[in-house]
Amino acid sequence: MNIITVATTPFPGQKPGTSGLRKKVKVFSQPGYLENFVQSIFDNLNGQQGKTLVLGGDGRYFNDVAIQIILRMAAATGFGRVLVGQNGILSTPAASAVIRKRGAFGGIILSASHNPGGPDDDFGIKYNLGNGGPANETFTDAVYARTREISAYRIVEPADIDLACLGETHIGAMRVSVIDPVADYAELLESLFDFERIAGLLARPGFRMRFDAMHAVNGPYAHAILEGCLGAPSGTVVNGTPLPDFGGGHPDPNPVYAAELVTALADPASGLSFGAASDGDGDRNMIVGRSFIVSPSDSLAVIAANYKLIPAYAEGLAGVARSMPTSCALDRVAAELGIPCYETPTGWKYFGNLLDAGKATLCGEESAGTGSNHLREKDGLWAVLYWLNILACRDEPVDRIVREHWRHFGRNVYARHDYEGIEAAKAEILFAELRQKLPTLAGMEFVAGRVKAADDFCYTDPVDGSRSDKQGVRVLLEDGSRVVFRLSGTGTEGATLRVYLERYVADPALHEIPVQEALAPLVALAEKVARIAEITGRKVPDVIS
Ligand code: G1P
Ligand code: ZN
């Protein structure tokens, strides 16, 4: 095996965001761009020689090219073995499952999650540690630092490994094992839920579900688990073949991009009682009942409140965790259960320590991510199976379960407003002004209420004491309502401003007020405080979820 050392120079901007490095395919496919980043990851590892790396992605455009390059670089850096998903496919949760089950040293996941794919769209890469979770900020900062001074990368000659056939080959001394991308993951899910009971639900004449894989990675997983192991009728999974460009769609399971599913569930003629979808790399989920979309924050709270119905969690939850912008519905469940509820910055990497330390059993984010200590990634199909297990036990429709939850705990009315593709300079001005105003906001009166406190969220990890600051500007009102502002760390064009709005409504008589109506005073407050329209020129958000 001939290791070639190739001289290179740094590319600007190789800084990992909320979840790895995401750029346009056109950027990633520049000669040396991917190689520089991968070498910068490898240069920050310690002791990988002879160990196992897990490799796979969501099958998006450039996945196949990138995998061949990374295999050759893994051989050059001395990995003993790479486990790679057949055809280069591994959903993000499946990659986490494989890393953990096989005791791998780490893994590389190729995905830009819910961002569109294709020659003109997005690609992404991230490194996961031996616990199966995304590397922490200390590691990603070190990788970024390395990208700024890199002068060479190491690679072996082209090997052109056939990824279509299961089995073993070699690149020099390194074994390459092409594995079934579904098997380890399906086995894990089967160990958590009551599959027999779920199969019984799926066989009931009055129950019909649809799972929309959005032409993304979860197609094969959903076919194997829902239609295979659980016996759902064929046709339950739609858009189930992963396509490099996701069929030209936007593989993000929200009411805007999964509108077809929402419409089908609103049409009584469809006979559907339960709908679900997942994103590009299979870690996000959407849960839909008949004419009823479950907001991700509510879904997380319902999941926590119903833990006793699920075999893997029935003995009790150690604690729960949510990202700061996620609604406080979860906190109310935790308070009733008498367990801690942790509040972390946005991004799954912050849950890793809590899960490893056994402090949290369930975690979630408002961005349609839910998961548990079974993995170190959020897990779309896990959330769907959790809901199916609840439905199988409670024999009630989705909307009744959520409404009942509100009646018991009160309703945290919630919405996120996204302003996409804002000029970066304008976003900077907006935040600079906002941060400057923070000390003056407490005590101010708005139609929405009086401001109790305003700050820039700062997190100290309770396990390793590491600090992350500037994680989102919060305006907290006296009645518990909140407006949170942050900039996306996953976009690839300009800046995306996210405004998170939340209001607690205890009185069941008010639970059915339309969300936008209930939140209107908070939208007005957000505008007044941040001057969104004046600074960015945007009067309305692009996406409301
Ligand atoms: C978004 C979500 C965040 C999630 C991340 C990866 O990040 O808001 O909750 O962890 O995608 O799926 P953002 O673009 O807001 O930085
Ligand atoms: Zn994702």
Side-chain angles (χ1 to χ4, degrees):
M1 182 174 66
N2 224 350
I3 298 175
I4 309 158
T5 300
V6 182
T8 188
T9 50
F11 288 90
Q14 292 198 317
K15 185 172 167 56
T18 312
S19 182
L21 182 69
R22 291 194 192 164
K23 299 284 175 195
K24 295 282 175 213
V25 165
K26 293 233 153 71
V27 175
F28 257 110
S29 51
Q30 298 171 84
Y33 192 92
L34 174 74
E35 290 86 343
N36 275 15
F37 190 73
V38 172
Q39 189 64 54
S40 299
I41 293 173
F42 289 165
D43 287 349
N44 277 288
L45 303 181
N46 203 346
Q48 71 269 40
Q49 284 70 26
K51 300 278 172 53
T52 298
L53 179 76
V54 172
L55 178 61
D58 62 12
R60 67 178 58 228
Y61 189 84
F62 198 61
N63 196 74
D64 47 355
V65 177
I67 285 207
Q68 296 290 344
I69 293 173
I70 296 168
L71 282 171
R72 290 162 57 204
M73 293 186 67
T77 202
F79 273 105
R81 187 182 186 195
V82 176
L83 298 170
V84 53
Q86 188 177 25
N87 294 315
I89 294 283
L90 275 178
S91 76
T92 293
S96 186
V98 174
I99 294 171
R100 292 170 68 77
K101 184 177 169 197
R102 312 285 187 111
F105 184 84
I108 289 182
I109 302 178
L110 304 173
S111 168
S113 187
H114 50 286
N115 297 9
D120 296 319
D121 283 304
D122 294 359
F123 191 73
I125 174 169
K126 71 172 176 178
Y127 183 73
N128 281 29
L129 305 169
N131 71 350
N136 60 23
E137 237 181 327
T138 315
F139 184 88
T140 55
D141 284 349
V143 170
Y144 177 49
R146 183 77 190 129
T147 65
R148 291 157 53 125
E149 57 182 32
I150 190 163
S151 57
Y153 64 83
R154 301 187 336 130
I155 192 162
V156 304
E157 294 120 359
D160 237 343
I161 298 292
D162 178 7
L163 298 177
C165 297
L166 297 178
E168 300 261 320
T169 45
H170 281 84
I171 299 182
M174 186 183 83
R175 275 161 80 195
V176 178
S177 312
V178 179
I179 60 166
D180 175 347
V182 181
D184 288 355
Y185 174 72
E187 185 190 287
L188 175 62
L189 290 187
E190 196 161 356
S191 74
L192 305 175
F193 300 104
D194 189 340
F195 266 36
E196 225 169 279
R197 209 156 177 174
I198 298 175
L201 169 75
L202 293 169
R204 278 183 217 163
F207 187 87
R208 228 178 124 203
M209 89 168 270
R210 175 178 295 177
F211 180 87
D212 190 338
M214 303 189 85
H215 303 292
V217 78
N218 255 350
Y221 295 87
H223 276 299
I225 295 169
L226 296 173
E227 295 179 2
C229 308
L230 291 164
S234 89
T236 297
V237 178
V238 300
N239 301 321
T241 304
L243 298 174
D245 66 348
F246 308 113
H250 202 127
D252 197 2
N254 64 36
V256 176
Y257 298 125
E260 226 178 89
L261 179 71
V262 175
T263 307
L265 265 291
D267 177 6
S270 72
L272 291 167
S273 30
F274 180 66
S278 56
D279 73 331
D281 61 333
D283 58 359
R284 293 186 173 194
N285 74 87
M286 172 159 148
I287 303 294
V288 192
R290 270 190 221 110
S291 296
F292 189 93
I293 300 169
V294 184
S295 90
S297 291
D298 280 344
S299 175
L300 174 63
V302 169
I303 278 176
N306 285 276
Y307 76 93
K308 277 195 186 141
L309 304 178
I310 314 297
Y313 312 104
E315 281 181 13
L317 307 175
V320 291
R322 62 164 174 83
S323 65
M324 181 273 282
T326 303
S327 97
C328 301
L330 182 67
D331 306 43
R332 295 181 181 273
V333 177
E336 185 172 296
L337 297 177
I339 55 171
C341 179
Y342 299 90
E343 186 177 42
T344 60
T346 296
W348 208 261
K349 57 179 179 264
Y350 295 102
F351 294 133
N353 278 351
L354 296 171
L355 292 165
D356 282 350
K359 288 181 177 295
T361 309
L362 302 175
C363 307
E365 295 194 276
E366 52 64 43
S367 53
T370 358
S372 86
N373 57 358
H374 71 296
L375 290 180
R376 296 297 178 271
E377 290 280 4
K378 54 188 181 254
D379 187 345
L381 269 170
W382 172 90
V384 175
L385 292 177
Y386 202 122
W387 266 94
L388 284 169
N389 204 147
I390 294 175
L391 295 173
C393 296
R394 288 186 51 170
D395 199 14
E396 289 169 83
V398 171
D399 66 302
R400 202 187 303 158
I401 289 174
V402 178
R403 290 192 161 105
E404 184 108 8
H405 184 95
W406 292 341
R407 246 193 307 281
H408 185 86
F409 292 98
R411 179 175 182 191
N412 290 72
V413 183
Y414 187 87
R416 184 177 100 184
H417 291 191
D418 291 338
Y419 300 79
E420 295 177 344
I422 298 173
E423 259 174 63
K426 290 183 176 166
E428 252 170 58
I429 294 173
L430 188 147
F431 270 85
E433 257 192 31
L434 196 52
R435 291 201 162 100
Q436 206 176 5
K437 267 188 211 160
L438 281 178
T440 67
L441 290 176
M444 270 172 84
E445 286 280 358
F446 293 88
V447 176
R450 188 202 298 262
V451 177
K452 185 173 154 206
D455 64 6
D456 204 344
F457 182 60
C458 171
Y459 179 65
T460 304
D461 186 300
V463 179
D464 65 15
S466 58
R467 263 174 69 103
S468 307
D469 52 18
K470 294 197 168 171
Q471 294 296 324
V473 168
R474 310 189 287 184
V475 181
L476 311 167
L477 303 191
E478 277 176 352
D479 71 348
S481 298
R482 308 188 295 168
V483 180
V484 175
F485 303 86
R486 55 178 286 284
L487 285 179
S488 159
T490 58
T492 56
E493 246 173 48
T496 293
L497 167 67
R498 304 204 194 285
V499 183
Y500 308 83
L501 308 143
E502 176 176 1
R503 183 176 148 203
Y504 179 65
V505 178
D507 182 359
L510 303 176
H511 285 170
E512 301 298 330
I513 294 181
V515 171
Q516 294 314 316
E517 198 179 306
L519 298 178
L522 292 170
V523 173
L525 181 151
E527 184 53 48
K528 225 177 196 154
V529 172
R531 299 201 308 126
I532 301 167
E534 275 166 74
I535 297 176
T536 69
R538 303 290 181 82
K539 290 215 163 59
V540 287
D542 299 286
V543 179
I544 297 184
S545 54

